Amino acid sequence: MVLEEIQEDAGGTLESWNASDMLDDAVKLLGDSGKLGGMEESAYVARRWEDMDTDILVKIVQSSDISQLTSGIACVCSSWRMACCDPLLWKTLDLSVMRSNFIKIPLEPYVYMDARSDNTLTRLLKISLSFSRGNIRTLIFHFNLYVNDDQLTYTAEKGIVYMSFLAITTDQLHFGLCPHLRRLVMPAWDRIKKTGICKAIRIWQDLESLTMPSIANPPYLLEEIANNCKNFSELKVMGRFDYFFAITIIRYLPKIRVLSLRCSILVKDALISILDDLQNLEVLNITHCLLIEIPPPPAPTRIMREFDQSIVEKASRLREFVTCMKDLCIMCQRMRNDEGLLRWYKYEEGLWKADEVSSLSL
């Protein structure tokens, strides 16, 4: 059972986990008067944890991180386990604090993952999806957290999704347990195959927002989104954004309203196509982009330091056109130094989460 696996996976977490810390949180939450719910301190001490009001337990548990939530806390008693399953705790599953232990390799999938990292992620996802009971709306992965197909793919025995602790096995990770996912942030796709992501998109029909890396063949993905995600409206692409990517968006996602290409290599022709043909676009963020112009051969590629007047005029119809190409801007300098492919690992932790568009910022 999952709870047994929690105890096993914790590897001594319950011994090192200090329940008095949670008690301190409860006291702070309810005041330092020495009373709980109007009762004197002596009566408060005599009460059992399982008798505490569920709403209070949920507020206490909200201060815990994902590791504590899926390990020691749920094993205290049945009431605490119930509190750990409260929908308020699972609107967002934020795994941006987790990184894979990996090395880059020259062949597909271009990264080699440490088995321990893979197993840790699988166990955490397995337990989280059980506790969430289908309430996850936002799913966030770290820029260096490499998910594989088995961890992404929806698997249901005989076409049935079992919403219980026994539903998920280690080899069958039920992403179907978050069927109402609206936002996916997954900047690293090196280990994900076409079949895996397409199967997941068919399940996530409520998907509205996606943060993804640049990929060489975007039509298969954007067509899947167009066919299955009718409310899709926001896209953030991290990496190179060329003309082919632009016309693919125009073809499959013509009604998109928000597009962020922040800190990307942006081809001028791609930008012009977006401004000309995405008539429903309201917000475009190209802050800190390395804007390049590719003239006919044999002329070399040219880095643009400012916008043409024609681009400014085309962008004037947008509600928001967010830009920054300043020589003194630190991020713009980093983009030029890194030749347009920002090496996030060199800079401040969590920098990759930033976005000038509030709905895309983490």
Side-chain angles (χ1 to χ4, degrees), residues 2-3 6 54-55 57-62 64 66 68-71 73-75 77-92 126-137 163-166 177:
V2 167
L3 286 180
I6 294 174
T54 301
D55 291 339
L57 277 176
V58 170
K59 286 187 177 294
I60 297 173
V61 173
Q62 278 181 316
S64 306
I66 186 66
Q68 292 172 324
L69 191 60
T70 56
S71 56
I73 296 176
C75 298
C77 62
S78 59
S79 296
W80 284 56
R81 185 168 67 249
M82 184 179 299
C84 287
C85 295
D86 192 279
L88 287 175
L89 303 176
W90 295 105
K91 290 183 178 180
T92 297
K126 174 180 174 182
I127 298 167
S128 298
L129 293 174
S130 295
F131 284 179
S132 68
R133 298 179 177 179
N135 289 299
I136 297 174
R137 298 294 184 269
M163 307 297 280
S164 71
F165 288 135
L166 298 177
L177 289 182

Side-chain angles (χ1 to χ4, degrees), residues 151-170:
Q151 292 163 336
L152 186 68
T153 302
Y154 170 90
T155 307
E157 191 172 328
K158 298 181 181 179
I160 300 174
V161 180
Y162 298 101
M163 307 297 280
S164 71
F165 288 135
L166 298 177
I168 307 174
T169 66
T170 302

Side-chain angles (χ1 to χ4, degrees), residues 188-296:
W189 285 22
D190 298 61
R191 303 173 70 210
I192 297 175
K193 298 178 182 178
K194 175 181 177 180
T195 53
I197 187 62
C198 287
K199 183 177 289 187
I201 292 297
R202 293 186 196 113
I203 297 161
W204 295 326
Q205 295 189 4
D206 291 337
L207 192 68
E208 300 174 0
S209 176
L210 173 65
T211 297
M212 60 173 288
S214 178
I215 56 177
N217 184 29
Y220 78 85
L221 172 67
L222 300 192
E223 183 178 12
E224 205 69 58
I225 292 174
N227 291 336
N228 295 280
C229 309
K230 301 307 179 184
N231 295 321
F232 192 84
S233 61
E234 291 186 342
L235 178 65
K236 180 174 181 176
V237 181
M238 303 176 69
R240 183 182 177 89
F241 191 82
D242 57 18
Y243 181 71
F244 181 50
F245 211 131
I247 62 174
T248 303
I249 292 178
I250 293 167
R251 177 179 179 183
Y252 293 109
L253 302 175
K255 296 182 179 180
I256 194 171
R257 295 195 300 273
V258 178
L259 177 63
S260 177
L261 307 174
R262 183 183 196 273
C263 297
S264 297
I265 298 178
L266 176 57
V267 177
K268 178 184 175 181
D269 289 345
L271 174 60
I272 292 174
S273 295
I274 289 294
L275 293 173
D276 281 343
D277 298 324
L278 283 182
Q279 296 301 315
N280 291 282
L281 191 66
E282 299 175 4
V283 178
L284 176 60
N285 183 10
I286 59 171
T287 303
H288 316 307
C289 281
L290 192 67
L291 185 61
I292 63 174
E293 185 176 15
I294 306 177

Side-chain angles (χ1 to χ4, degrees), residues 142-190:
H142 190 274
F143 190 82
N144 282 331
L145 185 60
Y146 292 94
V147 182
N148 63 32
D149 275 345
D150 289 337
Q151 292 163 336
L152 186 68
T153 302
Y154 170 90
T155 307
E157 191 172 328
K158 298 181 181 179
I160 300 174
V161 180
Y162 298 101
M163 307 297 280
S164 71
F165 288 135
L166 298 177
I168 307 174
T169 66
T170 302
D171 297 326
Q172 295 179 316
L173 189 61
H174 288 214
F175 262 75
L177 289 182
C178 47
H180 303 297
L181 191 71
R182 294 178 182 172
R183 183 182 182 188
L184 175 64
V185 178
M186 188 164 22
W189 285 22
D190 298 61

